[in-house]
Amino acid sequence: MIETLALITAMGAGLVVISLLSSMISFRAGVPLLLVFLLVGLLAGEDGIGGIPFDSAEAAYFVGSVALAVILFDSGFGTSIKSFRTAAAPAVTLATVGVAATAAVLAVPAHYLLGLPWLEAMLLGAIVGSTDAAAVFFLLRVGNIRIRERVRATLEVESGSNDPMAIFLVITLLEVLLAPESGGGGLLGQFVLAFLQQMGLGALLGLGVGWLLVRLLNRFPLESGMYPVMVLALALLLYAGTTAAGGSGFLAVYLAGLVMGNLRFRGGTTLRRFQEGLTWLAQITMFLVLGLLATPSEFHAIAWQGVLLGLLLILVARPLAVWLCLLPFGFTRAETTFIAWVGLRGAVSILLAILPIMMWIDAGQLLFNTAFIVVLVSLVVQGWTIRPMARWLGLIVPPRYGAVERIDLELPGQADHELLVYRIVPGSPVAEGERIPRWARPSLIIRHGQSMRVHEAGRPQVGDYLYLFATPRVAELLDRLFAEPAHLSSKDQRYFGEFAIAPDQPVADLAMVYGLALPDAAADMTVGRWMQHRLGGRAGRGDRVLWQRIELVVRDADAQGMPTAIGLTLEPSPESNRRLPIFQNAREMTAALRDRWHRWRAQRDGHAD
């Protein structure tokens, strides 16, 4: 018995090590890292070179659920409240209506390609209906793809919050399949009540417990190493308790993480460092276990149907659902296209596909194998093309030159400070001779690899690394002090515009100077207010508004989404001029209908004359 346990431990640890070593190859070859973890699990399984027998759906679901709870807590913990506010309305719409719409659209080809009854076809659509938080967060954060703020925030909030909706749909449909038949009206009523119960209870407990945890940690001091253990245990307790009470445990842990991540509490810095490693372990473990559970030798029976369903999900179901959900929010066609493309499916879909097997649904194994193939197709097609797609659509924003390193510090007395490390770049205000404020004097300067005291170093020079302590609320001011202005970089100049426009300049004045037609309802607006309105109420760095033959670019914006610095270019970028034939938003559709109405009226009046 002891030898068996030791062997199991060795195999588990060995697979984790192999996955981590494979990640180095993934980074160099550009292979989606989560796909590598999944393939390692497949190769180690009974059909692979490892030959490890593993067929316990219950154990795989338990491990996957705990790992997913950890990942979702970290997803919420790493989401700033600013990002959440920026993207709350469109992201929540995608996370609820979008998941249901995707499931409904995909159910049609699933019914005809696999011969499934309509209810089971809808179940398959719900299983693969949500995007994977681990995959999306990895590609956007770890993959270091800098895209427009509102687009990035929408994708991150959606991926972190849409799993509860998919889980709710899957469980509800399974209950309908296993329960006696009921009338349509009664079924709809049960569906609505179940939705309100799970989402309402999950949201209430998540927000409440998150706030209580912060108060608890600040009130009762612990040893520094015990804080992350306490938070992890309480987060899992929240997940289990909410699930047992009939609510959505996954929504609860996500919202608890969101609350805690935006409040200060004892042990917060230690918890952030602990969470980073723990979340990686959870992701690797979940993908490995799900890969071990799969039996690739069974895939050939539905291989082409699964691949075709995966492509239909990528090219039809997800884009259609995204377009319908984002129609009223003013996203450009390029932004809508990118959000539709970043709909990666991952471990959550495979995890949900285990449920039909556990509940002895006749088509359970068919649903699991199909979902697995769909996930593989999504990771291969979308995971490999996220960066090229963002570049082609013109959504990649030049990096903001700020701190090279930012380290949170927990000082005695709850002092709120960070250690900031800046590199002086050519053209920055400091390099041009502007003095560093007294409240942010460097503590150490590194020049040519040598550490120097401040009074020995003299005036800061280009290439120096400056170490200084400051509070987080002034970090943005320091970022600007050490930043390379956009107009000094030819690459940034092409993106942010050759000329600077005052945000408080009237739109009418700008239209007169450049000979442009004055936009409807913009006669009394400033340029900043009009851009904010055109961008759906919140502007972010890098957002662009095409206005006939010129283009306005948001160089910077405040916390309320009001542009504080605007650039103008007389030659709009090729990406902005690229008019995609699909994904018009409500404003464009209204304008097109208005133009057609005016042309029809003009033709009618001409014929009358």
Side-chain angles (χ1 to χ4, degrees):
M1 180 66 179
I2 296 177
E3 291 79 2
T4 302
L5 292 175
L7 180 60
I8 294 174
T9 303
M11 288 190 298
L15 288 176
V16 172
V17 172
I18 292 172
S19 300
L20 292 173
L21 293 176
S22 301
S23 67
M24 294 186 291
I25 302 175
S26 168
F27 281 119
R28 293 185 179 182
V31 181
L33 186 56
L34 301 181
L35 176 61
V36 172
F37 297 156
L38 198 59
L39 292 179
V40 170
L42 287 173
L43 291 173
E46 58 182 347
D47 280 354
I49 58 177
I52 300 175
F54 180 75
D55 59 358
S56 175
E58 292 79 6
Y61 185 78
F62 171 74
V63 172
S65 297
V66 173
L68 181 59
V70 172
I71 292 170
L72 287 177
F73 179 79
D74 182 65
S75 299
F77 198 83
T79 301
S80 69
I81 196 66
K82 177 183 176 182
S83 296
F84 188 82
R85 288 172 179 170
T86 298
V92 171
T93 304
L94 285 172
T96 52
V97 178
V99 171
T102 302
V105 173
L106 196 65
V108 177
H111 169 72
Y112 290 104
L113 289 175
L114 298 174
L116 293 171
W118 283 109
L119 201 55
E120 294 180 359
M122 184 68 183
L123 176 61
L124 177 61
I127 287 172
V128 297
S130 69
T131 59
D132 189 84
V136 173
F137 274 70
F138 170 78
L139 285 171
L140 295 183
R141 291 184 181 179
V142 182
N144 202 25
I145 300 177
R146 299 181 181 89
I147 57 176
R148 298 180 190 174
E149 183 179 355
R150 188 166 67 134
V151 177
R152 177 192 56 78
T154 299
L155 287 168
E156 290 187 355
V157 175
E158 180 212 1
S159 66
S161 58
N162 65 4
D163 292 337
M165 181 63 182
I167 295 168
F168 163 75
L169 285 176
V170 170
I171 293 177
T172 303
L173 290 170
L174 284 171
E175 290 176 349
V176 172
L177 280 169
L178 296 173
E181 294 184 2
S182 59
L187 180 61
L188 179 61
Q190 293 174 13
F191 181 88
V192 173
L193 288 176
F195 177 82
L196 293 176
Q197 175 184 340
Q198 289 201 28
M199 299 303 169
L201 193 58
L204 182 63
L205 290 177
L207 295 173
V209 171
W211 181 79
L212 286 174
L213 284 179
V214 171
R215 297 293 300 272
L216 177 67
L217 294 172
N218 285 332
R219 185 175 181 84
F220 300 103
L222 300 170
E223 292 293 328
S224 59
M226 297 176 65
Y227 284 107
V229 179
M230 171 70 81
V231 173
L232 173 64
L234 291 174
L236 293 178
L237 182 62
L238 170 63
Y239 160 72
T242 305
T243 303
S248 173
F250 294 111
L251 179 61
V253 293
Y254 174 77
L255 292 177
L258 179 66
V259 171
M260 296 187 69
N262 288 277
L263 296 175
R264 295 194 62 83
F265 56 91
R266 281 198 183 98
T269 302
T270 306
L271 177 61
R272 281 184 171 84
R273 297 168 183 165
F274 177 80
Q275 278 286 125
E276 184 176 358
L278 182 64
T279 302
W280 274 113
L281 180 61
Q283 291 176 10
I284 294 172
T285 302
M286 182 164 59
F287 276 88
L288 286 176
V289 169
L290 296 177
L292 286 172
L293 184 65
T295 309
S297 59
E298 299 177 355
F299 290 173
H300 68 88
I302 54 161
W304 72 269
Q305 295 97 325
V307 171
L308 184 55
L309 280 173
L311 293 176
L312 289 173
L313 173 63
I314 295 170
L315 301 174
V316 179
R318 164 78 176 176
L320 181 59
V322 168
W323 175 64
L324 291 173
C325 290
L326 297 185
L327 200 59
F329 295 108
F331 285 88
T332 66
R333 301 186 198 184
E335 291 170 341
T336 302
T337 301
F338 186 73
I339 293 173
W341 192 254
V342 188
L344 285 95
R345 270 56 189 174
V348 176
S349 296
I350 303 175
L351 183 67
L352 292 178
I354 297 175
L355 287 173
I357 298 177
M358 293 173 56
M359 296 187 177
W360 301 99
I361 300 296
D362 292 338
Q365 194 63 47
L366 173 64
L367 294 173
F368 178 84
N369 292 340
T370 305
F372 206 104
I373 295 174
V374 169
V375 169
L376 289 176
V377 171
S378 176
L379 290 176
V380 169
V381 175
Q382 295 170 296
W384 240 307
T385 57
I386 294 299
R387 185 181 294 275
M389 179 65 75
R391 186 178 296 111
W392 183 74
L393 293 171
L395 298 179
I396 293 183
V397 179
R400 184 195 297 270
Y401 296 96
V404 176
E405 187 72 34
R406 177 172 281 134
I407 303 171
D408 290 331
L409 299 174
E410 289 194 36
L411 303 176
Q414 290 294 293
D416 186 10
H417 276 71
E418 294 178 328
L419 174 62
L420 303 173
V421 184
Y422 287 96
R423 180 178 180 272
I424 299 181
V425 295
S428 64
V430 172
E432 294 296 321
E434 186 166 336
R435 296 178 60 85
I436 301 174
R438 292 186 179 276
W439 46 262
R441 287 294 185 187
S443 301
L444 180 68
I445 294 178
I446 304 295
R447 180 176 297 164
H448 306 305
Q450 300 293 322
S451 61
M452 308 177 68
R453 296 180 180 177
V454 178
H455 67 275
E456 296 174 347
R459 179 180 174 182
Q461 300 178 12
V462 173
D464 286 355
Y465 286 88
L466 275 65
Y467 290 70
L468 51 87
F469 293 95
T471 59
R473 61 185 176 84
V474 300
E476 186 175 348
L477 299 176
L478 293 173
D479 286 348
R480 295 176 181 177
L481 189 63
F482 287 92
E484 176 184 4
H487 68 273
L488 295 178
S489 167
S490 58
K491 181 179 178 181
D492 290 356
Q493 182 178 347
R494 288 194 299 270
Y495 188 92
F496 288 108
E498 301 91 340
F499 309 104
I501 299 296
D504 56 356
Q505 180 178 353
V507 176
D509 291 354
L510 193 62
M512 182 176 62
V513 170
Y514 290 96
L516 305 172
L518 192 64
D520 293 338
D524 299 327
M525 286 188 179
T526 63
V527 176
R529 181 67 65 186
W530 177 62
M531 288 189 69
Q532 185 186 37
H533 173 72
R534 283 286 302 270
L535 293 168
R538 296 189 69 91
R541 183 173 182 267
D543 284 343
R544 313 173 78 86
V545 172
L546 185 63
W547 182 11
Q548 297 177 29
R549 61 179 178 274
I550 70 170
E551 190 169 28
L552 301 175
V553 188
V554 179
R555 292 183 174 182
D556 210 347
D558 60 20
Q560 287 71 43
M562 170 63 73
T564 56
I566 299 173
L568 181 148
T569 177
L570 299 177
E571 295 182 4
S573 63
E575 294 83 3
S576 298
N577 282 324
R578 186 177 290 123
R579 304 296 291 176
L580 299 171
I582 53 176
F583 300 138
Q584 287 185 321
N585 58 37
R587 180 182 53 80
E588 291 175 326
M589 294 175 67
T590 302
L593 291 173
R594 189 188 306 115
D595 290 342
R596 290 185 180 182
W597 169 256
H598 290 324
R599 286 198 300 268
W600 178 81
R601 289 282 302 271
Q603 291 176 357
R604 188 192 64 177
D605 294 342
H607 288 308
D609 294 338

